[in-house]
Amino acid sequence: MNYRIGIVGSGAIGSYYGGKLAAAGQEVHFLMRGDLAEIRRRGLHLMGAGEDLRIPQINCYNSTKDIGPCDLVLIAVKTIANSVLPELLPPLLHERTLLLTLQNGLGNEELLADHFGAERVLGGLCFICLTRTSRTTIERADVGHISIGEFVGPPLPRTREIAGVFQQSGLNCNVVENLALERWRKLVWNVPFNSLSILAGGIDTESILRDDQLLDSTLAVMKEVIHAANLCGHALEDSAADEQIKRTQTMGPYKPSTLLDFQGGRPLEIEAIWGEPLRRARAVGAATPRLQTLYSVLRSVDRVRQEAAGTGPSLKPVV
Amino acid sequence: MNYRIGIVGSGAIGSYYGGKLAAAGQEVHFLMRGDLAEIRRRGLHLMGAGEDLRIPQINCYNSTKDIGPCDLVLIAVKTIANSVLPELLPPLLHERTLLLTLQNGLGNEELLADHFGAERVLGGLCFICLTRTSRTTIERADVGHISIGEFVGPPLPRTREIAGVFQQSGLNCNVVENLALERWRKLVWNVPFNSLSILAGGIDTESILRDDQLLDSTLAVMKEVIHAANLCGHALEDSAADEQIKRTQTMGPYKPSTLLDFQGGRPLEIEAIWGEPLRRARAVGAATPRLQTLYSVLRSVDRVRQEAAGTGPSLKPVV
């Protein structure tokens, strides 16, 4: 299958997946910020975990109008910039364009569905550790994988077709039956680790696991997320907490993406990872005292930092 | 009444209360650290909130052996240094010496009782904002008051006598019927504000009250503390939370002592304010998920900072 693919948000995630698809011969068009000239000149370099891939020719643009209609659009902007999407995406759409959000947390598919119709929305969960080490270089620390699913209902032929395109590009990709359930399952990990790593003093997952009290907190936060998921109608099993702990024990000293954002002085994805899950938990009457505490504190940390930086609480636009 | 009074821990609290007692004619002996020579030469200067008091002659020593037996010993070291007290205090004791701890949190009276006998232990709750602005100057931001009570049982004649000595020295001092209950009541304030002010980005109480989510967290933490106090047998009324919020609204942009310690790079009083209340809550089966989260995170923050400063997790000894 050949798709005309648009990549919106060319940070590490967008550049990596877009780069792999382009290298495999798909027609890929990147929306870029300031790095446009540099990437046009030098291409992209994907490296790490046994890979060393140079893609000399990258189609990049600073406006979605210049890209025009695509068959598939990958959304990889930070969720804090979601409010720009309704204005940004329309030039990329034809009648059957599919929108696949690779973003963190909850609420991203809903935003796309509200503005562009639920029937064209898919979501992907990225389990990979990527770092942009120069304007044209993305380093991966692990092989990683991506899970994709439909926003509405079980997988369709198109879901497996897109997964096939990812697989043919050398990416580990599987299709999930129930995307919402898998989003909550990922939150079981992100809600505790992404917050505690920042709040407990800027520490990695290994340091969290090594501290009895922090491990207690982690497990208890995980149980709150599982409880909320179940009350929201997603049959997430209780054992998901222990499974995530076991998986984390194999990961070494891992820094969650929000900790990297924090240490890099970037805004944090507060609403997608903590705010929206909390609102959904509250709407169904799930008790989530720890989630609320973490949300309140992180939200303040993010605001205080942005005020100190003089940028105010506003969004960093993508383009 | 004239007492021979020893002051152990000559930070802001010890220097201020000791200084006031000395200025009123009590025989006061201070155990001091490095500032000994300076204070011998220049005395103490207490100022702020309508006061400007110079005490030219201060009796100070770098060993409790040089002080010798006292009638009353005020303990004002940071609770993180409590482990040195069993070795430090004996030279100050005669058969009827009273020990009055002015320290924060829970567990201080118990430590003294375990080592020196419960019958000689009293506790004082200091409601005052003091800052040491130079080696010989203590500034107060408010008039403040101190509440004292017996560790075991209701007030005795000696309790009122000591309160009288404080009052005659120009200090607001009242006697409390139930010291343990009042310690928990003070924790209703300290547990949320002293932690959230640090974790939410280094903000004052006014900023916490202004943030809806942080105010929710504050109230919910207060309710956990009240719940734990009641299960521990202290009949703390539910309205204590709202009362503390109302009182805080009148305080202006106040920085809790633990935030000042944090910003000053000093170790935090984690165990007295969060650890010991949590252990007591758990012992009686009180659900305190927010307290546990705050404790786990702050304990890690404190350790990470001390490791970064190269001091290790050990105590700063007082002498």
Side-chain angles (χ1 to χ4, degrees):
Chain A
M1 284 298 300
N2 272 307
Y3 282 84
R4 189 170 201 268
I5 301 174
I7 308 286
V8 174
S10 300
I13 290 275
S15 299
Y16 182 76
Y17 289 108
K20 289 288 283 183
L21 292 164
Q26 298 291 335
E27 182 190 339
V28 183
H29 302 273
F30 294 80
L31 181 69
M32 294 252 166
R33 285 196 272 186
D35 303 325
L36 192 74
E38 180 89 359
I39 295 197
R40 271 193 183 145
R41 194 152 40 91
R42 306 186 51 190
L44 276 172
H45 185 193
L46 313 182
M47 54 185 295
E51 182 169 66
D52 189 357
L53 180 63
R54 287 177 190 275
I55 309 125
Q57 166 67 37
I58 293 289
N59 307 315
C60 49
Y61 313 83
N62 55 24
S63 152
T64 48
K65 284 194 194 102
D66 294 341
I67 298 178
C70 297
D71 306 309
L72 173 65
V73 177
L74 268 52
I75 320 283
V77 300
K78 288 272 174 193
T79 55
I80 51 157
N82 272 354
S83 62
V84 303
L85 293 176
E87 213 175 327
L88 203 61
L89 297 187
L92 302 176
L93 306 185
H94 58 56
E95 210 170 298
R96 299 167 60 90
T97 302
L98 300 177
L99 299 174
L100 171 60
T101 164
L102 302 180
Q103 299 168 289
N104 278 327
L106 294 187
N108 304 307
E109 286 89 359
E110 286 79 354
L111 178 94
L112 296 173
D114 284 350
H115 285 88
F116 306 109
E119 71 288 351
R120 48 166 113 224
V121 178
L122 297 92
L125 303 161
C126 303
F127 300 88
I128 191 165
C129 181
L130 296 172
T131 316
R132 196 170 180 163
T133 54
S134 82
R135 284 185 288 180
T136 58
T137 312
I138 310 295
E139 274 195 46
R140 63 173 193 182
D142 51 5
V143 173
H145 76 273
I146 179 168
S147 299
I148 67 173
E150 290 288 330
F151 173 52
V152 181
L156 301 173
R158 71 184 190 189
T159 330
R160 304 190 197 284
E161 203 175 278
I162 293 172
V165 169
F166 275 79
Q167 289 156 2
Q168 285 153 29
S169 306
L171 294 163
N172 289 328
C173 182
N174 69 308
V175 167
V176 296
E177 291 298 308
N178 183 337
L179 179 66
L181 175 64
E182 300 309 317
R183 283 241 173 255
W184 278 97
R185 190 189 305 281
K186 190 160 191 287
L187 285 172
V188 170
W189 196 92
N190 287 132
V191 168
F193 284 113
N194 289 39
S195 56
L196 295 174
S197 61
I198 295 174
L199 298 175
I203 61 179
D204 59 42
T205 52
E206 204 169 73
S207 304
I208 291 174
L209 295 178
R210 202 188 296 135
D211 179 317
D212 284 352
Q213 288 292 333
L214 287 174
L215 179 57
D216 277 4
S217 293
T218 302
L219 271 164
V221 173
M222 286 179 166
K223 282 170 190 166
E224 285 186 7
V225 176
I226 293 170
H227 174 62
N230 277 277
L231 288 198
C232 286
H234 310 295
L236 190 52
E237 58 283 5
D238 285 342
S239 59
D242 284 337
E243 281 161 20
Q244 298 274 25
I245 295 290
K246 274 184 204 144
R247 187 171 70 85
T248 311
Q249 285 164 342
T250 68
M251 286 165 59
Y254 185 86
K255 289 190 172 185
S257 64
T258 317
L259 175 59
L260 294 174
D261 286 339
F262 180 77
Q263 292 178 335
R266 297 183 290 274
L268 312 179
E269 298 191 287
I270 305 284
E271 296 307 324
I273 302 179
W274 297 275
E276 188 62 20
L278 176 63
R279 286 186 284 275
R280 296 198 190 177
R282 284 190 162 165
V284 295
T288 52
R290 293 171 193 260
L291 169 58
Q292 194 276 328
T293 305
L294 296 173
Y295 172 60
S296 70
V297 167
L298 273 178
R299 205 178 68 137
S300 176
V301 163
D302 191 49
R303 190 185 53 234
V304 167
R305 284 192 337 141
Q306 290 187 56
E307 283 170 4
T311 56
S314 67
L315 306 174
K316 268 193 192 164
V318 200
V319 287
Chain B
M1 285 297 300
N2 273 308
Y3 283 84
R4 190 169 199 270
I5 301 174
I7 309 286
V8 173
S10 300
I13 290 274
S15 299
Y16 183 76
Y17 288 109
K20 289 289 282 182
L21 292 164
Q26 298 291 334
E27 184 190 338
V28 183
H29 302 273
F30 294 81
L31 180 70
M32 294 255 165
R33 284 194 272 184
D35 303 326
L36 193 75
E38 179 90 359
I39 294 196
R40 272 194 183 142
R41 193 153 40 90
R42 306 188 50 190
L44 276 172
H45 185 193
L46 312 182
M47 56 186 293
E51 184 170 64
D52 189 358
L53 179 64
R54 287 178 190 276
I55 309 125
Q57 167 65 39
I58 293 289
N59 307 314
C60 50
Y61 311 85
N62 56 24
S63 153
T64 48
K65 286 195 193 100
D66 295 339
I67 297 179
C70 297
D71 306 311
L72 174 65
V73 177
L74 269 51
I75 320 283
V77 299
K78 288 272 173 192
T79 55
I80 49 154
N82 272 354
S83 61
V84 303
L85 293 176
E87 213 176 326
L88 202 61
L89 297 186
L92 302 176
L93 306 185
H94 58 56
E95 211 171 295
R96 297 167 60 90
T97 301
L98 299 178
L99 299 174
L100 171 60
T101 163
L102 302 180
Q103 299 168 290
N104 277 327
L106 294 187
N108 304 306
E109 287 89 1
E110 286 79 355
L111 177 94
L112 297 173
D114 284 351
H115 285 88
F116 306 110
E119 70 288 350
R120 50 164 113 228
V121 177
L122 298 92
L125 303 160
C126 301
F127 300 89
I128 191 165
C129 181
L130 296 171
T131 316
R132 195 169 182 166
T133 54
S134 83
R135 284 186 286 180
T136 58
T137 311
I138 311 296
E139 276 196 43
R140 62 175 193 179
D142 52 4
V143 173
H145 77 274
I146 178 168
S147 299
I148 67 173
E150 290 287 332
F151 173 52
V152 181
L156 301 173
R158 71 184 190 188
T159 330
R160 302 191 197 285
E161 204 174 277
I162 293 171
V165 169
F166 274 80
Q167 288 156 2
Q168 285 153 31
S169 306
L171 294 161
N172 288 329
C173 182
N174 69 307
V175 167
V176 296
E177 291 298 308
N178 183 337
L179 179 64
L181 175 65
E182 299 310 318
R183 282 238 175 258
W184 278 97
R185 189 190 305 281
K186 192 162 189 287
L187 285 173
V188 170
W189 197 92
N190 286 131
V191 168
F193 283 113
N194 288 39
S195 56
L196 295 175
S197 60
I198 294 174
L199 298 175
I203 62 178
D204 59 43
T205 53
E206 204 168 74
S207 304
I208 291 174
L209 295 178
R210 203 188 296 134
D211 179 317
D212 283 352
Q213 289 291 334
L214 287 175
L215 179 58
D216 277 4
S217 293
T218 302
L219 271 165
V221 173
M222 287 180 165
K223 282 171 189 164
E224 286 187 5
V225 176
I226 293 169
H227 175 60
N230 278 276
L231 288 198
C232 287
H234 311 295
L236 190 52
E237 59 283 5
D238 284 342
S239 59
D242 284 338
E243 281 162 20
Q244 299 274 27
I245 295 290
K246 274 186 202 143
R247 186 171 70 85
T248 312
Q249 284 164 342
T250 70
M251 287 165 60
Y254 185 87
K255 289 189 172 185
S257 63
T258 316
L259 176 59
L260 295 174
D261 285 340
F262 180 78
Q263 292 178 335
R266 296 182 292 273
L268 312 180
E269 299 192 285
I270 306 283
E271 295 306 324
I273 302 179
W274 297 275
E276 188 61 20
L278 176 63
R279 286 186 285 275
R280 296 199 190 178
R282 284 191 164 164
V284 295
T288 51
R290 293 172 193 259
L291 169 57
Q292 195 276 328
T293 305
L294 296 174
Y295 172 60
S296 68
V297 166
L298 273 177
R299 204 177 69 137
S300 175
V301 164
D302 191 48
R303 189 185 55 233
V304 167
R305 285 192 337 142
Q306 290 186 54
E307 284 169 4
T311 56
S314 66
L315 305 175
K316 268 192 194 167
V318 202
V319 288

Short mmCIF file of all heavy atoms in Angstrom, two decimals, chain B residues 28 37 39 83 101 121 134 141-142 191 203 212 229 244 252 265:
data_model
loop_
_atom_site.label_atom_id
_atom_site.label_comp_id
_atom_site.label_asym_id
_atom_site.label_seq_id
_atom_site.Cartn_x
_atom_site.Cartn_y
_atom_site.Cartn_z
N VAL B 28 19.36 32.61 82.09
CA VAL B 28 19.27 31.79 80.87
C VAL B 28 20.66 31.43 80.34
O VAL B 28 21.53 32.31 80.26
CB VAL B 28 18.46 32.51 79.77
CG1 VAL B 28 18.31 31.63 78.53
CG2 VAL B 28 17.09 32.93 80.30
N ALA B 37 31.32 33.19 69.89
CA ALA B 37 32.18 34.34 70.15
C ALA B 37 31.45 35.63 69.79
O ALA B 37 31.45 36.61 70.55
CB ALA B 37 33.48 34.22 69.36
N ILE B 39 28.22 36.18 69.60
CA ILE B 39 27.10 36.48 70.50
C ILE B 39 27.60 36.90 71.88
O ILE B 39 27.05 37.79 72.52
CB ILE B 39 26.14 35.28 70.58
CG1 ILE B 39 25.50 35.10 69.19
CG2 ILE B 39 25.08 35.47 71.66
CD1 ILE B 39 24.30 34.24 69.12
N SER B 83 18.41 12.86 67.32
CA SER B 83 19.18 11.70 67.78
C SER B 83 20.36 12.11 68.66
O SER B 83 20.93 11.27 69.36
CB SER B 83 19.68 10.88 66.59
OG SER B 83 20.52 11.68 65.79
N THR B 101 9.85 20.87 75.05
CA THR B 101 10.24 20.88 73.64
C THR B 101 9.37 21.86 72.86
O THR B 101 8.13 21.81 72.95
CB THR B 101 10.20 19.49 72.98
OG1 THR B 101 10.21 19.65 71.55
CG2 THR B 101 8.95 18.70 73.34
N VAL B 121 8.38 15.90 81.15
CA VAL B 121 8.30 16.42 79.77
C VAL B 121 7.06 17.30 79.56
O VAL B 121 5.95 16.94 79.94
CB VAL B 121 8.29 15.26 78.76
CG1 VAL B 121 8.13 15.78 77.33
CG2 VAL B 121 9.56 14.43 78.89
N SER B 134 20.83 37.82 60.98
CA SER B 134 22.29 37.84 61.07
C SER B 134 22.65 36.91 62.23
O SER B 134 21.76 36.37 62.87
CB SER B 134 22.82 39.25 61.35
OG SER B 134 22.76 39.54 62.74
N ALA B 141 8.01 38.51 62.34
CA ALA B 141 7.10 39.14 61.39
C ALA B 141 5.73 39.37 62.02
O ALA B 141 4.91 40.09 61.48
CB ALA B 141 6.94 38.27 60.15
N ASP B 142 5.50 38.72 63.17
CA ASP B 142 4.20 38.86 63.83
C ASP B 142 4.45 38.78 65.34
O ASP B 142 5.55 38.46 65.78
CB ASP B 142 3.25 37.75 63.38
CG ASP B 142 3.86 36.35 63.52
OD1 ASP B 142 5.00 36.23 64.04
OD2 ASP B 142 3.22 35.38 63.10
N VAL B 191 0.93 19.89 57.74
CA VAL B 191 1.06 18.79 56.78
C VAL B 191 0.77 19.27 55.35
O VAL B 191 1.59 19.04 54.46
CB VAL B 191 0.18 17.58 57.18
CG1 VAL B 191 0.08 16.57 56.03
CG2 VAL B 191 0.75 16.90 58.42
N ILE B 203 5.99 28.05 46.50
CA ILE B 203 5.01 29.15 46.56
C ILE B 203 4.50 29.35 47.99
O ILE B 203 4.57 28.45 48.82
CB ILE B 203 3.82 28.89 45.61
CG1 ILE B 203 3.05 27.63 46.00
CG2 ILE B 203 4.31 28.77 44.16
CD1 ILE B 203 1.84 27.36 45.11
N ASP B 212 -7.42 26.75 42.72
CA ASP B 212 -8.54 25.88 43.08
C ASP B 212 -8.11 24.44 43.36
O ASP B 212 -8.57 23.82 44.31
CB ASP B 212 -9.57 25.83 41.94
CG ASP B 212 -10.41 27.10 41.92
OD1 ASP B 212 -10.28 27.91 42.86
OD2 ASP B 212 -11.18 27.27 40.96
N ALA B 229 -6.20 11.77 63.40
CA ALA B 229 -6.18 12.22 64.80
C ALA B 229 -7.31 11.57 65.58
O ALA B 229 -7.10 11.05 66.68
CB ALA B 229 -6.31 13.74 64.86
N GLN B 244 -8.71 26.49 59.83
CA GLN B 244 -7.31 26.74 59.44
C GLN B 244 -7.25 27.48 58.10
O GLN B 244 -6.38 28.33 57.90
CB GLN B 244 -6.55 25.41 59.32
CG GLN B 244 -6.49 24.62 60.62
CD GLN B 244 -5.33 25.03 61.51
OE1 GLN B 244 -4.87 26.17 61.46
NE2 GLN B 244 -4.87 24.11 62.32
N GLY B 252 -1.74 36.59 54.78
CA GLY B 252 -0.97 37.16 53.68
C GLY B 252 -0.06 36.12 53.04
O GLY B 252 -0.24 34.92 53.26
N GLY B 265 18.40 25.69 51.60
CA GLY B 265 19.29 24.55 51.39
C GLY B 265 19.49 23.71 52.64
O GLY B 265 20.44 22.93 52.72
#
